[in-house]
Amino acid sequence: SSTSRGLGDVYKRQGLDGGICIMINGTIINMIMMPVYEETTKTKTKTGKFKKQRHIDCHALADILFAHKDAKIYMEKVNPFAGMGSASSTRMAISIGRIEGIMIGMGFEWTYITPGSWQKDIWHEKDRVMRKNPDKKTKQGNTDTKKTSLNAALRLFPTVNFVPKGKKVPHDGLFDSALIAEHGRRQE
């Protein structure tokens, strides 16, 4: 029996909206949104309220990973991209460092999966959704990667609900993590 974990969307909002997918022999057994906590900063907004900042909840993430300690881990390998500010790049690096630190501290090994490699393996042409207005500033191209990934996830996992409890739309961190886990499973 082969168990794999996919950690997806580590780059989105500095990893705070990512997902974790636990899969056994190609069947999704659990999907979890990246655990986060919120702290109030000393900085005030224009309205006079204190700003809130979210962080990865390292203790909760460690508990999730430990509960499936025999699973292989596949984590999306991302880098800062065009149009991303330095503050966002820094927060992304901190989030990735926290995730890696937890896995190192727990003695886990993992495999990085680049977005291009899993997308090439997983997406079919019929999944592809084109952008109406490509963003030239960020050079993201004509493919709407989130809608294309959702189509691929629904094709591969038609019985899985990617809409978190209390939400109305599929969570891209969840369906991306499922696709990353599936790509990793195929590479075994």
Side-chain angles (χ1 to χ4, degrees), residues 38-53:
E38 190 173 78
E39 77 171 339
T40 303
T41 68
K42 294 179 181 177
T43 309
K44 290 189 176 182
T45 64
K46 291 178 184 177
T47 62
K49 294 181 179 180
F50 287 103
K51 288 185 179 181
K52 306 240 184 233
Q53 190 168 25

Side-chain angles (χ1 to χ4, degrees), residues 20-172:
I20 302 164
C21 174
I22 312 299
M23 178 183 288
I24 297 177
N25 295 328
T27 300
I28 294 172
I29 62 163
N30 200 0
M31 288 187 308
I32 305 144
M33 293 176 10
M34 184 64 71
V36 297
Y37 69 92
E38 190 173 78
E39 77 171 339
T40 303
T41 68
K42 294 179 181 177
T43 309
K44 290 189 176 182
T45 64
K46 291 178 184 177
T47 62
K49 294 181 179 180
F50 287 103
K51 288 185 179 181
K52 306 240 184 233
Q53 190 168 25
R54 296 185 312 148
H55 303 280
I56 291 177
D57 184 334
C58 295
H59 296 286
L61 180 57
D63 289 344
I64 292 165
L65 295 175
F66 187 75
H68 303 281
K69 62 180 177 267
D70 296 328
K72 294 182 176 117
I73 300 174
Y74 301 98
M75 183 165 138
E76 191 169 38
K77 174 74 171 170
V78 292
N79 297 304
F81 49 86
M84 183 180 232
S86 62
S88 292
S89 296
T90 299
R91 285 192 302 269
M92 180 180 76
I94 290 168
S95 292
I96 292 170
R98 286 180 175 168
I99 294 168
E100 289 176 343
I102 291 166
M103 293 190 299
I104 290 168
M106 296 178 82
F108 294 150
E109 294 182 11
W110 66 93
T111 302
Y112 279 115
I113 305 287
T114 64
S117 68
W118 72 257
Q119 290 166 354
K120 183 177 180 182
D121 175 43
I122 297 292
W123 290 354
H124 287 179
E125 194 54 42
K126 63 185 174 185
D127 298 325
R128 193 171 302 277
V129 175
M130 304 307 286
R131 292 181 194 279
K132 291 183 175 87
N133 299 306
D135 187 345
K136 290 178 176 57
K137 181 181 175 188
T138 61
K139 300 179 178 122
Q140 288 183 333
N142 294 328
T143 301
D144 185 322
T145 58
K146 292 303 165 194
K147 289 180 180 175
T148 299
S149 290
L150 176 59
N151 286 344
L154 294 173
R155 173 178 49 80
L156 291 168
F157 310 107
T159 61
V160 174
N161 181 5
F162 294 100
V163 180
K165 187 176 181 178
K167 303 292 182 181
K168 295 182 180 183
V169 296
H171 187 280
D172 53 359

